[in-house]
């Protein structure tokens, strides 16, 4: 695996979707090994993840990873960044497990034979060699999440972006994934609405209404976030219907 990248830089970055500002004036340099991004639903968390991954371009400002633009240079972005979406079914494309893992390696230029061999090695490393010929649609939700993780790891990125990685999983599946994530040497940037997921991280970004509301260590940010969410929960703030 390559060493951690030198960092992700956001400079006054903004994104507008369907005429509505979703992210505004985001400026930060992300260099830590474990970074959490929290906020209410609709705060712009997933859009920020897509922006960092280079899946969308900013309307304003700039995004850089190790000095390159991840939207403009997709080949470099594929090598440097992996992404796990909230729903693995939005990510899985192939009928068998080994084919799914090999696909990313083929995108990086490996031959079919080399990619298949690497896929089998990845499965063996994770104690799942017996999955190789399994149909992806027969896997449980947790197993599909783990398959997506192995497919990303096979590409050896230095940074992995996680979008609500435990959504919809039962407790054993969450624990298995948590152990897998904890052992990774890669930089993890985790999007979540659950502060407990990122309590042990190095740095927390709190998004609110598409802006960076707060940025700092968990001990500083998470108590304030808890208090704010408790205040929202104490009132019926969602009862009004906008015309």
């Amino acid at each position: 695996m390559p060493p951690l990248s030198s960092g992700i830089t956001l400079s006054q970055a903004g994104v507008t979707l369907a005429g509505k500002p979703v992210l505004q004036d985001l400026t930060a340099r992300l260099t830590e090994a474990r970074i959490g991004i929290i906020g209410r639903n609709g705060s712009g968390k997933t859009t920020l993840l897509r922006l960092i991954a280079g899946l969308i371009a900013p309307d304003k400002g700039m995004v850089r990873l190790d000095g390159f633009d991840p939207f403009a240079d997709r080949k470099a972005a594929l090598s440097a960044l992996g992404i796990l979406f909230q729903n693995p079914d939005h990510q899985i494309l192939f009928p068998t497990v080994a084919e799914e893992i090999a696909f990313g390696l083929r995108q990086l230029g490996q031959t079919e034979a080399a990619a298949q061999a690497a896929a089998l090695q990845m499965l063996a490393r994770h104690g799942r060699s017996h999955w190789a010929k399994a149909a992806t649609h027969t896997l449980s939700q947790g197993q599909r999440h783990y398959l997506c993780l192995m497919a990303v790891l096979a590409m050896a990125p230095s940074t992995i972006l996680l979008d609500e990685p435990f959504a919809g999983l039962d407790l054993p599946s969450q624990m298995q994934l948590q152990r897998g994530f904890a052992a990774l040497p890669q930089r993890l940037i985790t999007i979540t609405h659950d502060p407990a997921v990122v309590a042990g991280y190095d740095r927390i970004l709190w998004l609110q209404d598409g802006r960076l509301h707060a940025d700092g260590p968990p001990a500083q940010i998470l108590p304030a976030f808890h208090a704010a969410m408790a205040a929202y929960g104490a009132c019926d703030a969602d009862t009004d219907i906008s015309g």
Side-chain angles (χ1 to χ4, degrees), residues 2-220:
L4 287 181
S5 69
S6 62
I8 297 161
T9 299
L10 303 164
S11 180
Q12 296 182 316
V15 173
T16 300
L17 299 175
K20 178 184 177 182
V22 179
L23 298 175
Q24 302 180 67
D25 299 321
L26 295 184
T27 296
R29 180 162 175 77
L30 309 179
T31 59
E32 293 81 3
R34 296 291 185 268
I35 299 167
I37 301 177
I38 59 173
R40 299 183 71 193
N41 290 340
S43 62
K45 301 188 304 296
T46 296
T47 302
L48 176 55
L49 181 121
R50 291 172 62 84
L51 183 68
I52 292 172
L55 300 178
I56 58 175
D59 303 303
K60 298 178 180 178
M62 179 186 74
V63 179
R64 293 291 183 269
L65 170 64
D66 292 346
F68 72 85
D69 180 340
F71 180 80
D73 192 342
R74 294 306 301 148
K75 185 174 182 180
L78 282 173
S79 298
L81 289 167
I83 181 169
L84 289 182
F85 293 103
Q86 180 174 341
N87 185 344
D89 294 334
H90 294 166
Q91 195 159 349
I92 295 172
L93 299 173
F94 287 84
T96 71
V97 167
E99 288 176 300
E100 182 65 30
I101 296 174
F103 173 65
L105 298 171
R106 295 285 285 135
Q107 286 187 300
L108 294 180
Q110 291 193 19
T111 65
E112 182 175 351
Q116 284 291 328
L120 296 179
Q121 290 172 3
M122 176 60 62
L123 286 164
R125 195 174 306 138
H126 287 262
R128 288 165 170 81
S129 293
H130 57 292
W131 284 20
K133 295 182 180 180
T136 53
H137 74 270
T138 66
L139 301 181
S140 71
Q141 177 86 351
Q143 289 171 332
R144 293 198 299 277
H145 271 284
Y146 209 97
L147 167 57
C148 291
L149 175 60
M150 289 189 291
V152 167
L153 293 178
M155 298 173 71
S158 58
T159 297
I160 299 176
L161 310 175
L162 308 175
D163 185 8
E164 298 286 3
F166 306 118
L169 298 182
D170 60 19
L171 188 56
S173 296
Q174 290 183 34
M175 294 171 66
Q176 290 163 9
L177 269 183
Q178 283 174 330
R179 286 198 302 273
F181 292 149
L184 295 178
Q186 283 93 344
R187 173 182 293 115
L188 298 185
I189 300 179
T190 302
I191 303 286
T192 183
H193 67 274
D194 181 1
V197 170
V198 292
Y201 276 30
D202 302 309
R203 180 179 176 185
I204 305 295
L205 307 182
W206 174 2
L207 282 188
Q208 189 162 296
D209 298 324
R211 295 181 181 273
L212 187 56
H213 180 73
D215 178 1
Q220 172 188 328

